[in-house]
Amino acid sequence: QVQLVESGGGLVQPGDSLRLSCAASGRTGSRSAMGWFRQAPGKEREFVAGIRWSGGSILYADSVKGRFTISRDNDKNTVYLQMNSLKPEDTAVYYCAADLRTGWGTVSYRNYDYAYWGQGTQVTVSS
């Protein structure tokens, strides 16, 4: 079993930065993946970024590429999402998720590939 807990959300102004954290507990394979997704009211849940616990596979959604950075601290079993240059359209509940399938390729962007989800943390970007 895997449990995920997100933290770090808040209310910020456009152009500000936030760093989200996702603490994972339970068994996750070294080649499994962690992802960040977000969901705004009335919209589908969308992929933001993903990373494997081992290896160099990282994937970003085009909408956040160049602004967001996903990283991991294996010793702390924690994945981070550094969000810079935040825009109002980034407003959403941000979820971390675990894809326990193993592989060497690019992490999945499909929400249904991630079997475990955190409760989410609210990010609001408003003037």
Side-chain angles (χ1 to χ4, degrees), residues 72-108:
R72 52 174 162 84
D73 186 334
N74 291 37
D75 292 336
K76 296 182 178 180
N77 295 317
T78 300
V79 176
Y80 304 96
L81 185 67
Q82 178 66 46
M83 305 184 295
N84 297 328
S85 302
L86 283 163
K87 305 175 181 179
E89 51 263 44
D90 295 319
T91 296
V93 177
Y94 283 71
Y95 300 90
C96 64
D99 176 4
L100 298 189
R101 303 173 306 156
T102 61
W104 299 107
T106 303
V107 299
S108 175

Side-chain angles (χ1 to χ4, degrees), residues 34 36 49-51 58 60 68-72 79-82:
M34 297 290 293
W36 285 100
I51 190 171
I58 295 177
Y60 295 101
F68 291 10
T69 302
I70 188 171
S71 62
R72 52 174 162 84
V79 176
Y80 304 96
L81 185 67
Q82 178 66 46

Side-chain angles (χ1 to χ4, degrees), residues 2-112:
V2 176
Q3 296 185 17
L4 308 172
V5 180
E6 305 98 332
S7 62
L11 173 63
V12 298
Q13 294 185 322
D16 285 353
S17 297
L18 280 175
R19 189 195 194 200
L20 306 183
S21 299
C22 175
S25 61
R27 183 65 62 86
T28 57
S30 63
R31 286 152 53 206
S32 63
M34 297 290 293
W36 285 100
F37 292 77
R38 66 187 183 186
Q39 187 167 23
K43 299 184 66 177
E44 299 288 333
R45 185 170 300 184
E46 65 175 348
F47 175 81
V48 176
I51 190 171
R52 294 195 184 279
W53 288 108
S54 180
S57 179
I58 295 177
L59 182 66
Y60 295 101
D62 289 341
S63 59
V64 306
K65 193 173 299 182
R67 299 187 298 120
F68 291 10
T69 302
I70 188 171
S71 62
R72 52 174 162 84
D73 186 334
N74 291 37
D75 292 336
K76 296 182 178 180
N77 295 317
T78 300
V79 176
Y80 304 96
L81 185 67
Q82 178 66 46
M83 305 184 295
N84 297 328
S85 302
L86 283 163
K87 305 175 181 179
E89 51 263 44
D90 295 319
T91 296
V93 177
Y94 283 71
Y95 300 90
C96 64
D99 176 4
L100 298 189
R101 303 173 306 156
T102 61
W104 299 107
T106 303
V107 299
S108 175
Y109 62 87
R110 300 173 297 184
N111 55 15
Y112 53 81

